Amino acid sequence: MSDVPALLPVEEARARILERCAPLPTEWVSGDEALGRALAEDVLARRTLPPWDNSAMDGYAVRAEDLRGPLPVRLAVGETVFAGRLPVRELTPGTCARIMTGAPLPQGADAVVMRERTRAIAGADTVEILEAVAPGNFIRPRGEDAREGDVLARRGTPLGIPELGLLWAQGVTSVPVPRRPRVAVLSTGDELCRADDPPEGRIVDTNAPALALAVRRAGGLPTMLGIARDTQEAVQEALARTDGFDVVLTSAGVSVGDHDFVKAALEALGVEQHFWRVAIKPGKPLVVGQRGPTLFFGLPGNPTSSLVTFELFVRPALRRLLGLEDVEPPRVSGRLEGRLTKHPGLAHFVRVTATWRAGELWAKPLGTQTSGVLRSASAATHLLHFPRESSSLTDGSHVELLPLSWVA
């Protein structure tokens, strides 16, 4: 493998890609459309939340100083305060108010005693308090969540469900975020046909629809360009229709075979090649280039290779275009069940099923690692990173696992 030293390590390849990715232009969208993108501007709080001190428990609002004497202490119940209603009476010495979770505290109250620590007196508007509490007990203070004018969420904040809930609570119904990446997806190969075509000696193209789904799950807007036949002219003609896209994905045609025309077609169209071939398995014959603002990814043709290279390189790029900073594939620690061996030189990303046992995540390699077999991709829960310089991993070894985004 004399060519291996010239191959690009996976980390350097990903870094080169991300250097060329910047958040796309801003658009204003509804909260549900913003999910998974990052804020393009700071958002200020419009409201103080909660707008008043309120009870964190069902119980009784009290003056803590009334509970300093011998227990139990008997207090008169002045009113019942429900969530969504304002109290009408101020607490005076020797009085309390029955209160529900979330209800505003009456004026004069400085603590709440949970209902379980009280005893009602039958037929009387009084209650016995069975424990003393300090001021602030079971009170959620005004402005605990946000104060009007404060920075509620900063530019670059990833918008997940809790963040959007925070915005909705402020009455914010539309937010500025980078627009979604427009992604063209092209398959190449004389051997391919669509799923609804008669095969007649061909195989169904699974790469384009699978990659389109992966793009959509990563936050992009995919457009499938069909299948280009194995001539440079056909591939070049298909790629010439990608103006206006932010990212172009091709599958197959990027190795050194007689019918591998993607690299030549990209060059003829003026695409600057950033690199070709990465020190990984599966997925070594990856080509990445750029023309203007458009990024081109020439992915391998084997179905699992195309999905793995999407996970390692394309998905991080799409996340960066969406304004997200933390775009590296997530990693968790685990242990290897079994043994793995390889020649040094390529980092292997081994498909595994991982399960929890005795508080540790144990990863078992699937029976086949052939890159043309989709069944092992469908059974995998993680990719196990078998480092480039390593030649063996023994049973029980500590390993790095990458959770797969394509797992439902």
Side-chain angles (χ1 to χ4, degrees), residues 83-165:
R85 298 183 184 177
L86 294 174
V88 297
R89 295 185 182 179
E90 178 182 354
L91 291 195
T92 56
T95 67
C96 68
R98 188 165 176 252
I99 195 165
M100 306 302 164
T101 302
L105 244 65
Q107 188 175 348
D110 62 2
V112 171
V113 179
M114 64 191 302
R115 186 175 182 178
E116 293 85 344
R117 304 303 300 156
T118 66
R119 183 166 55 227
I121 306 300
D125 292 332
T126 59
V127 66
E128 285 188 341
I129 308 297
L130 305 180
E131 71 175 6
V133 294
N137 188 65
F138 289 132
I139 290 177
R140 296 185 294 213
R142 177 180 184 272
E144 182 181 37
D145 207 7
R147 289 190 174 271
E148 183 180 354
D150 287 351
V151 177
L152 188 68
R154 296 197 177 276
R155 179 180 181 273
T157 298
L159 292 175
I161 294 171
E163 291 77 17
L164 290 169

Side-chain angles (χ1 to χ4, degrees), residues 136-225:
N137 188 65
F138 289 132
I139 290 177
R140 296 185 294 213
R142 177 180 184 272
E144 182 181 37
D145 207 7
R147 289 190 174 271
E148 183 180 354
D150 287 351
V151 177
L152 188 68
R154 296 197 177 276
R155 179 180 181 273
T157 298
L159 292 175
I161 294 171
E163 291 77 17
L164 290 169
L166 190 64
L167 296 175
W168 281 320
Q170 292 286 331
V172 176
T173 57
S174 64
V175 291
V177 291
R179 66 168 173 77
R180 295 192 182 279
R182 296 187 286 262
V183 183
V185 182
L186 174 69
S187 289
T188 68
D190 288 339
E191 75 279 14
L192 299 178
C193 66
R194 299 185 316 182
D196 54 355
D197 287 339
E200 298 178 350
R202 298 174 295 174
I203 59 174
V204 172
D205 172 30
T206 60
N207 284 3
L211 289 171
L213 288 176
V215 166
R216 188 172 291 112
R217 178 167 280 193
L221 299 173
T223 298
M224 291 197 289
L225 301 183

